[in-house]
Amino acid sequence: MSTKIFVNLPVKYLERSKEFFTKLGYSFDPQFSDENARCLVISDNIYAMLLVEPFFKTFTHRQIADSSVSVEAILTLSADSREQVDELVDRALASGGSPAAETQDHGYMYGRSFLDPDGHHWEVMWMDMSAAQEQG
């Protein structure tokens, strides 16, 4: 069984979010995109559905978290190297994102983070798996 994951995220301005993630090098699946949603392709099996807040609200009776004062989730992306972590986070910051936390550098594991324009918390992590196994 091949499982895909679709993370649904509320956004205030759909085009702003599309422009931000396009600048980070991601693409969108037009089949699952319209005036209410953009399907952000993260990998072959991972997608983020960026949904305008009124449309997002049709899927829940609960309040949408105010990401300027609370965290609803931390989304973590893996990277192939420390350099790739820096490259992606630097692009995010230059494209309208803001820092989310201090850099984490444990030698065998390295990560940085950013908040997208809607305040969603993204981590980008690299780990040397052979060194991590020695640590554990």
Side-chain angles (χ1 to χ4, degrees), residues 106-132:
H106 303 285
Y108 68 93
M109 183 172 67
Y110 178 75
R112 291 178 59 198
S113 60
F114 64 90
L115 301 175
D116 69 22
D118 286 284
H120 302 295
H121 186 144
W122 295 82
E123 298 277 337
V124 185
M125 301 294 293
W126 165 82
M127 187 180 321
D128 178 342
M129 292 305 288
S130 60

Side-chain angles (χ1 to χ4, degrees), residues 9-123:
L9 298 173
V11 300
K12 293 190 183 310
Y13 305 104
L14 194 55
E15 286 307 308
R16 177 184 70 183
S17 294
K18 180 184 176 200
E19 289 174 21
F20 176 78
F21 286 103
T22 299
K23 288 177 183 176
L24 299 187
Y26 291 102
S27 63
F28 292 85
D29 184 339
Q31 182 178 358
F32 300 107
S33 298
D34 60 21
E35 67 279 355
N36 290 310
R38 293 286 185 268
C39 180
L40 173 64
V41 179
I42 297 172
S43 74
D44 289 343
N45 293 313
I46 303 171
Y47 306 87
M49 295 299 299
L50 307 177
L51 308 174
V52 293
E53 288 181 348
F55 185 59
F56 184 93
K57 191 75 173 127
T58 66
F59 295 98
T60 182
H61 296 288
R62 298 173 64 193
Q63 282 189 311
I64 296 173
D66 179 352
S67 58
S68 69
V69 296
S70 62
V71 175
E72 74 280 274
I74 297 175
L75 306 152
T76 305
L77 304 170
S78 65
D80 293 331
S81 66
R82 295 169 68 97
E83 295 78 20
Q84 192 178 56
V85 169
D86 288 337
E87 180 183 306
L88 183 58
V89 174
D90 288 345
R91 266 190 290 162
L93 298 176
S95 300
S98 58
E102 295 295 319
T103 298
Q104 299 176 43
D105 190 348
H106 303 285
Y108 68 93
M109 183 172 67
Y110 178 75
R112 291 178 59 198
S113 60
F114 64 90
L115 301 175
D116 69 22
D118 286 284
H120 302 295
H121 186 144
W122 295 82
E123 298 277 337

